[in-house]
């Protein structure tokens, strides 16, 4: 009897110790900090209160944080609506304003006066006004035994009522988001401003220093920032662009600290993280790192090798493929880091140990055992069953993404499907729209590069995807070409209408019915349709069916964990692009044996990496001069210029541009990346190697002030020491 009592108590103690060890993990909802996190945050050094972070009755930190364009985060840093975000977040806006005469990407841009600030049609920022728990109302009509479709339909009806009846001002908007796998729902009242103007950006040689080579890597030396301003109507409310609009007077803006950080200083990041899946069972993590990541990495390894070879030999191809190469390499590098990080931290083993602890605790509660018995085992079994289908799905997705001719074919099929749905009478109009949309695609397309990519990827696809998933028509086409990817590619790229815009135009100039008939004769479109049919029939449908069961079980398992671990573990909801708070400490890390990284980098490191004329590591002459003269103004420290630092804040995509704050809630840096070994934090956060990378705010101020001479922006800010 004593043993039965002692074992659960020991287990509870171990879980509590684990919780304390992993204290920096979590993406927390700001309105719940007072009950869940405030005590711990103050124990780690925070000097403000939870009400200073989230408050609906007075200005608080949440009133200085905005969703930037729906894909990044930005923060208000002056009483005149000046906002700070990453250079890579503002990159598209900067690019649109650039020309050969005024290349702002290459030379940077600084508005010397308000009149020079540039409008950006389509760009917007969104503030969070209030967050309300609406779980009870959202789930009111959910009944036991409902299937997923019935359940979601019942919820959607209630969500519509919740949004319609929400208390808000006429210019405000609402959205409701699910949390904890749909076990809870929160209403967000928001304000969106669409007049957002470009104020300043450093040249890419600063804002994108290190480019692809340094991406996901520490040590980092990138001044990844840009500045915009929010404009409002004269009444201070959101308004479309007008010359009569005025800079926004915000409810709150962030003071900017010149103090910097020391080892183990408390740090906090607020922002809009995009997507995490922290509560997956062990079989799901195995699926990701043992099957899905290797499949995607293998495909991109081959594609990148081919593209890189051509880019090194041909300047025109280098220009055409630079952005595509960077985009392809970004996720490729992240997935490689994810696999490495899970392996190094024994992430799967820890998941399995957690599940063993969960089962032991579950068995101590007869009531919970009846309610949740078998849920975890069933969920793990479903992930084992979906594995071959999910891997085939990812092989197919990577093939269509990385072989551009297949991408073009997919777009052609979608265009013809649109004509079918809207009627042949719309063919001419839709054809013109389709061809216009394909012009930028072919501008940066090289058929020879794509041919060689297809040879490699078709070979990998044939080896990686079992015949029963690829489909009979695809197998027939392969057999006609002796199952040789090069022979198949030679035929496609020699005869298909998809290899150039001119050929595609001629192809679709035919009547609609003729084009549809020709689709099965053109070797490119024939292969694409065959592969697409095989994918839909043999992969997509089974995946969707299995995924529906997984979603239901995952929701139940999420609730089971919260019930079984109640009082022993705190649960934060997975990221879903809503406002979150994460906190940690400034600290280095040791990714491998005999290697330790410090937590700070300096301008000295920029000069050590400097390669004159290199597109990744060139350095502007003005910055070299400032460095040689040690002309750092009030921003340097002991004759050195801080550039970047790392801490154990739990971040992900969407946190780009998030403010890094100190114990007083003052701005000390700008989040822009994670360390390579810690990219697995989306599924397996581990404080030993998971670090977020930030630009030191003093480097931002130094570039604005000493490099660009745009002191009017410095004068707007509230600088504190």
């Amino acid at each position: 009897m004593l043993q039965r009592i002692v074992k659960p108590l020991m287990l509870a103690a171990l879980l509590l110790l684990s919780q304390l060890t992993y204290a920096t993990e979590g993406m927390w909802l700001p309105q719940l900090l007072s009950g869940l996190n405030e005590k711990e945050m103050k124990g780690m050094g925070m000097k403000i209160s939870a009400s200073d972070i989230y408050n609906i009755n007075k200005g608080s930190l949440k009133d200085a944080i905005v969703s930037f364009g729906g894909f990044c985060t930005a923060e208000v840093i002056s009483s005149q609506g000046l906002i700070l975000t990453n250079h890579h977040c503002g990159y598209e806006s900067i690019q649109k304003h650039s020309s050969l005469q005024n290349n702002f990407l290459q030379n940077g841009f600084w508005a010397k006066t308000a009149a020079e600030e540039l409008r950006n049609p389509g760009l917007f920022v969104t503030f969070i006004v209030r967050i309300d728990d609406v779980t009870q109302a959202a789930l009111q009509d959910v009944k036991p035994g409902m299937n997923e479709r019935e359940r979601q339909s019942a919820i959607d009806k209630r969500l519509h009522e919740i949004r319609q009846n929400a208390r808000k001002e006429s210019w405000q908007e609402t959205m409701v988001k699910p949390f904890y796998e749909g076990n809870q729902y929160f209403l967000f009242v928001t304000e969106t401003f669409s007049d957002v103007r470009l104020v300043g950006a450093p040249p890419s040689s600063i804002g994108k220093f290190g480019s692809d080579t340094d991406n996901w890597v520490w040590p980092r030396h990138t001044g990844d920032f840009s500045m915009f301003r929010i404009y409002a109507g004269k009444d201070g409310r959101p308004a479309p662009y007008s010359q009569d609009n005025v800079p926004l007077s915000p409810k709150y803006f962030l003071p900017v600290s010149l103090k910097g950080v020391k080892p183990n200083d408390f740090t906090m990041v607020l922002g809009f993280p995009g997507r995490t899946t922290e509560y997956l069972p062990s079989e799901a993590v195995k699926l990701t790192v043992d099957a899905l990541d290797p499949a995607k990495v293998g495909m991109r390894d081959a594609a990148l090798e081919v593209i890189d070879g051509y880019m090194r030999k041909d300047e025109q191809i280098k220009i055409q493929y630079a952005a595509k190469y960077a985009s392809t390499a970004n996720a490729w590098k992240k997935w490689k880091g994810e696999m490495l990080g899970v392996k190094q931290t024994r992430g799967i083993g820890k998941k399995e140990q957690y599940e063993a602890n969960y089962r032991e605790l579950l068995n101590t509660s007869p009531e919970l055992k009846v309610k949740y018995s078998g849920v975890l085992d069933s969920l793990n079994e479903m992930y084992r069953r979906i594995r071959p289908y999910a891997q085939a799905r990812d092989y197919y997705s990577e093939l269509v993404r990385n072989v551009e001719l297949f991408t073009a074919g997919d777009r052609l099929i979608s265009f013809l499907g649109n004509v079918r749905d809207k009627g042949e009478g719309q063919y001419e109009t839709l054809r013109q729209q389709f061809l216009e949309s394909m012009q930028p695609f072919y501008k940066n397309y090289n058929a020879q590069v794509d041919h060689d990519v297809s040879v490699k990827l078709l070979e990998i696809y044939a080896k990686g995807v079992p015949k029963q998933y690829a489909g009979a028509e695809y197998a027939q086409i392969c057999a006609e070409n002796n199952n040789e990817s090069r022979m198949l590619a030679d035929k496609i790229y020699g005869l298909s209408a998809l290899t150039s815009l001119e050929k595609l135009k001629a192809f679709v100039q035919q009547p609609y019915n003729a084009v549809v008939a020709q689709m099965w004769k053109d070797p490119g479109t024939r292969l694409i349709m065959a592969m697409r049919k095989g994918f839909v029939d043999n992969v997509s449908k089974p995946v969707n069916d299995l995924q529906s069961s997984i979603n239901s079980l995952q929701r139940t398992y999420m609730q089971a964990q919260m019930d079984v671990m109640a009082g022993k573990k705190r649960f934060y909801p997975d990221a879903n692009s809503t406002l979150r708070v994460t906190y940690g400490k400034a600290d280095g890390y040791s990714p491998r044996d005999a290697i330790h990284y410090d937590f700070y980098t300096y301008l000295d490191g920029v000069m050590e990496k400097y390669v004159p004329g290199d597109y990744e590591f060139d350095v502007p002459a003005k910055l070299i001069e400032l460095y040689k003269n040690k002309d750092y103004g009030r921003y340097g420290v002991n004759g050195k210029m801080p550039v970047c630092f790392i801490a154990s804040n739990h971040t992900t995509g969407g946190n780009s541009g998030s403010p890094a704050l100190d114990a007083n809630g003052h701005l000390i840096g700008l989040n822009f990346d994670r360390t390579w070994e810690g990219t697995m934090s989306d599924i397996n956060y581990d404080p030993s190697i998971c670090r977020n990378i930030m630009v030191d705010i003093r480097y931002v101020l130094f570039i604005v002030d000493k490099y660009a001479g745009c002191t009017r922006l410095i004068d707007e800010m509230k600088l504190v020491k």
Side-chain angles (χ1 to χ4, degrees):
M1 177 69 177
L2 179 62
Q3 186 179 16
R4 288 201 302 269
I5 296 173
V6 170
K7 284 189 71 178
L9 289 175
M10 290 177 63
L11 178 59
L14 286 171
L15 286 169
L16 179 60
L17 179 61
S18 175
Q19 176 182 326
L20 293 174
T21 303
Y22 290 76
T24 56
E25 178 181 1
M27 298 176 176
W28 304 93
L29 286 162
Q31 79 276 19
L32 302 180
L33 291 175
S34 59
L36 289 174
N37 311 92
E38 185 174 25
K39 183 177 179 181
E40 179 183 71
M41 294 169 81
K42 288 195 171 184
M44 293 174 66
M46 186 177 76
K47 297 177 182 178
I48 58 176
S49 67
S51 65
D52 293 321
I53 299 172
Y54 177 89
N55 200 310
I56 61 173
N57 299 314
K58 66 175 185 177
S60 57
L61 289 179
K62 63 101 173 164
D63 297 308
I65 315 301
V66 295
S67 173
F68 184 84
F71 51 83
C72 280
T73 301
E75 51 277 355
V76 186
I77 58 172
S78 85
S79 62
Q80 300 172 52
L82 185 66
I83 60 173
L84 178 68
T85 190
N86 287 153
H87 185 271
H88 74 261
C89 294
Y91 193 87
E92 183 177 355
S93 296
I94 303 166
Q95 185 179 46
K96 286 180 178 178
H97 289 298
S98 296
S99 64
L100 290 175
Q101 293 74 29
N102 294 295
N103 192 334
F104 298 142
L105 287 175
Q106 180 175 321
N107 303 320
F109 169 79
W110 305 98
K112 300 300 183 182
T113 66
E116 294 180 6
E117 296 176 358
L118 303 174
R119 65 174 298 202
N120 300 280
L123 182 61
F124 62 89
V125 298
T126 300
F127 289 89
I128 302 299
V129 177
R130 190 179 76 250
I131 309 173
D132 295 337
D133 188 340
V134 294
T135 304
Q136 186 174 354
L139 301 180
Q140 183 175 335
D141 297 331
V142 173
K143 307 297 182 186
M146 281 183 165
N147 61 38
E148 285 296 289
R149 181 174 296 179
E150 292 169 339
R151 184 182 189 276
Q152 193 57 53
S153 178
I155 292 172
D156 288 342
K157 290 177 182 178
R158 286 296 178 182
L159 295 186
H160 178 73
E161 293 179 6
I162 291 167
R163 288 192 294 267
Q164 290 292 106
N165 299 327
R167 176 174 52 86
K168 68 179 184 69
E169 301 295 345
S170 60
W171 62 88
Q172 295 173 341
E173 300 168 326
T174 61
M175 65 177 179
V176 182
K177 290 263 195 167
F179 292 79
Y180 299 107
E181 304 290 347
N183 286 294
Q184 291 186 22
Y185 285 81
F186 288 90
L187 167 77
F188 293 79
V189 178
T190 64
E191 287 183 353
T192 296
F193 291 80
S194 58
D195 187 354
V196 182
R197 306 183 193 178
L198 177 62
V199 174
S204 293
S205 52
I206 292 174
K208 204 179 175 184
F209 183 79
S211 194
D212 301 324
T213 299
D214 276 5
N215 190 26
W216 302 110
V217 168
W218 183 257
R220 200 66 172 274
H221 300 85
T222 312
D224 194 350
F225 78 94
S226 58
M227 291 178 167
F228 292 76
R229 193 183 306 278
I230 306 169
Y231 280 76
K234 292 183 178 179
D235 56 4
R237 299 174 184 174
Y241 171 81
S242 170
Q243 290 186 344
D244 295 329
N245 284 349
V246 297
L248 176 70
S249 180
K251 295 177 184 176
Y252 189 82
F253 65 91
L254 299 178
V256 180
S257 174
L258 295 176
K259 189 177 180 181
V261 293
K262 301 186 299 297
N264 293 316
D265 273 0
F266 175 84
T267 58
M268 176 170 57
V269 172
L270 278 74
F272 294 83
R275 175 68 172 154
T276 59
T277 49
E278 303 291 349
Y279 301 104
L280 295 173
S282 56
E283 286 296 331
V285 179
K286 289 179 187 176
L287 171 63
T288 298
V289 300
D290 292 344
L292 304 187
D293 283 353
K296 293 182 289 190
V297 166
M299 294 288 268
R300 295 201 181 191
D301 270 336
L304 289 168
E305 182 180 8
V306 171
I307 295 170
D308 180 65
Y310 275 101
M311 288 174 66
R312 290 179 182 276
K313 293 184 294 184
D314 190 308
E315 190 65 26
Q316 177 62 31
I317 292 175
K318 181 178 178 181
I319 294 171
Q320 288 179 306
Y321 279 79
K324 289 184 279 192
Y325 185 94
S327 175
T328 301
N330 185 54
W332 164 80
K333 201 169 186 178
K334 189 262 187 185
W335 293 325
K336 293 181 72 173
E338 185 170 74
M339 290 187 290
L340 178 64
V342 170
K343 180 180 179 180
Q344 287 186 194
T345 59
R346 296 179 292 108
I348 293 173
K350 289 177 181 177
K351 277 283 185 182
E352 292 172 336
Q353 183 59 54
Y354 173 83
E355 290 171 1
N357 295 341
Y358 160 85
R359 289 188 179 94
E360 189 167 344
L361 277 176
L362 176 63
N363 289 331
T364 65
S365 171
E367 181 182 352
L368 294 178
K369 187 176 180 181
V370 170
K371 188 175 182 181
Y372 297 122
S373 179
V375 169
L376 174 57
D377 291 337
S378 296
L379 184 57
N380 271 324
E381 175 58 28
M382 293 302 293
Y383 273 108
R384 283 189 285 267
R385 287 176 59 187
I386 204 173
R387 179 176 179 133
Y389 300 106
Q391 189 176 47
R393 175 201 60 202
D394 283 5
Y395 271 121
Y396 176 82
S397 299
E398 285 297 305
L399 185 67
V400 173
R401 181 204 182 278
N402 292 294
V403 177
E404 294 178 277
L405 181 138
F406 291 177
T407 304
D410 240 27
R411 293 186 186 182
L412 174 60
I413 293 169
S414 296
F415 151 62
L416 295 174
N418 198 17
V419 174
R420 180 196 60 218
D421 295 341
K422 293 185 177 181
E424 291 183 39
Q426 296 295 311
Y427 181 56
E428 179 58 37
T429 300
L430 294 174
R431 176 173 60 190
Q432 188 61 35
Q433 293 174 358
F434 168 68
L435 290 174
E436 288 177 1
S437 73
M438 295 303 292
Q439 287 181 15
F441 173 88
Y442 282 105
K443 178 183 178 182
N444 290 318
Y445 176 74
N446 183 290
Q448 185 59 52
V449 175
D450 200 43
H451 167 278
D452 290 2
V453 170
S454 75
V455 171
K456 297 288 187 181
L457 268 57
L458 283 168
E459 185 176 343
I460 296 172
Y461 183 83
K463 291 178 181 177
V465 179
K467 292 181 180 179
Q468 67 265 34
Y469 301 137
E473 181 65 24
Y474 164 76
Q476 174 62 33
I477 294 172
C478 290
E480 292 170 7
N481 292 275
N482 296 332
N483 293 308
E484 294 180 8
S485 62
R486 181 167 295 279
M487 181 181 291
L488 177 57
D490 288 347
K491 179 183 292 185
I492 292 171
Y493 288 85
L495 300 173
S496 178
L498 296 173
T499 55
S500 72
L501 182 60
E502 291 71 25
K503 290 181 180 179
L504 181 62
K505 284 180 178 179
F507 187 74
V508 298
Q509 284 301 325
Q510 304 174 89
Y512 170 72
N513 289 330
V515 173
V516 172
Q518 287 294 321
M519 290 286 282
W520 285 103
K521 297 179 180 179
D522 181 289
T525 53
R526 180 193 173 200
L527 176 63
I528 294 162
M529 289 193 296
M531 296 182 72
R532 186 167 178 163
K533 185 178 187 306
F535 172 74
V536 170
D537 292 346
N538 305 317
V539 178
S540 182
K541 290 178 180 178
V543 162
N544 290 340
D545 291 343
L546 289 167
Q547 192 64 54
S548 179
S549 298
I550 285 172
N551 292 345
S552 178
L553 284 166
Q554 187 74 47
R555 182 174 59 250
T556 304
Y557 178 52
M558 184 74 253
Q559 188 62 55
Q561 291 178 80
M562 293 191 288
D563 290 348
V564 171
M565 303 290 193
K568 301 175 181 66
K569 175 179 171 63
R570 294 170 306 170
F571 290 88
Y572 59 93
D574 273 317
N576 61 355
S577 298
T578 57
L579 183 61
R580 303 297 181 89
V581 178
T582 178
Y583 52 92
K585 291 196 171 187
D587 192 15
Y589 72 109
S590 299
R592 292 175 293 282
D593 182 44
I595 295 177
H596 179 77
Y597 288 127
D598 199 356
F599 76 107
Y600 247 116
T601 62
Y602 296 88
L603 191 55
D604 304 66
V606 174
M607 300 307 162
E608 290 169 2
K609 292 180 176 180
Y610 170 42
V611 180
D614 185 85
Y615 81 99
E616 294 185 304
F617 295 104
D618 203 358
V619 177
K622 177 72 176 291
L623 187 60
I624 295 173
E625 180 185 353
L626 291 168
Y627 172 74
K628 287 180 177 178
N629 296 330
K630 299 293 182 283
D631 187 6
Y632 305 141
R634 51 181 162 169
Y635 314 113
V637 180
N638 299 323
K640 301 182 76 174
M641 185 66 243
V643 175
C644 296
F645 67 100
I646 55 174
S648 57
N649 302 293
H650 189 178
T651 62
T652 189
N655 276 123
S656 290
S658 289
L661 308 174
D662 66 10
N664 296 301
H666 298 159
L667 185 64
I668 54 172
L670 183 64
N671 183 81
F672 70 96
D673 207 351
R674 285 174 287 168
T675 56
W676 187 50
E677 300 87 356
T679 55
M680 51 88 178
S681 62
D682 290 346
I683 59 172
N684 179 57
Y685 179 89
D686 189 305
S688 67
I689 63 172
C690 289
R691 296 290 183 272
N692 67 307
I693 306 177
M694 296 152 282
V695 186
D696 191 298
I697 196 62
R698 293 170 295 181
Y699 189 57
V700 172
L701 299 176
F702 162 72
I703 295 298
V704 174
D705 187 350
K706 303 296 291 185
Y707 176 84
C710 206
T711 55
R712 77 178 186 100
L713 301 179
I714 303 294
D715 295 339
E716 281 188 45
M717 304 175 203
K718 180 180 179 182
L719 304 184
V720 294
K721 293 184 178 181

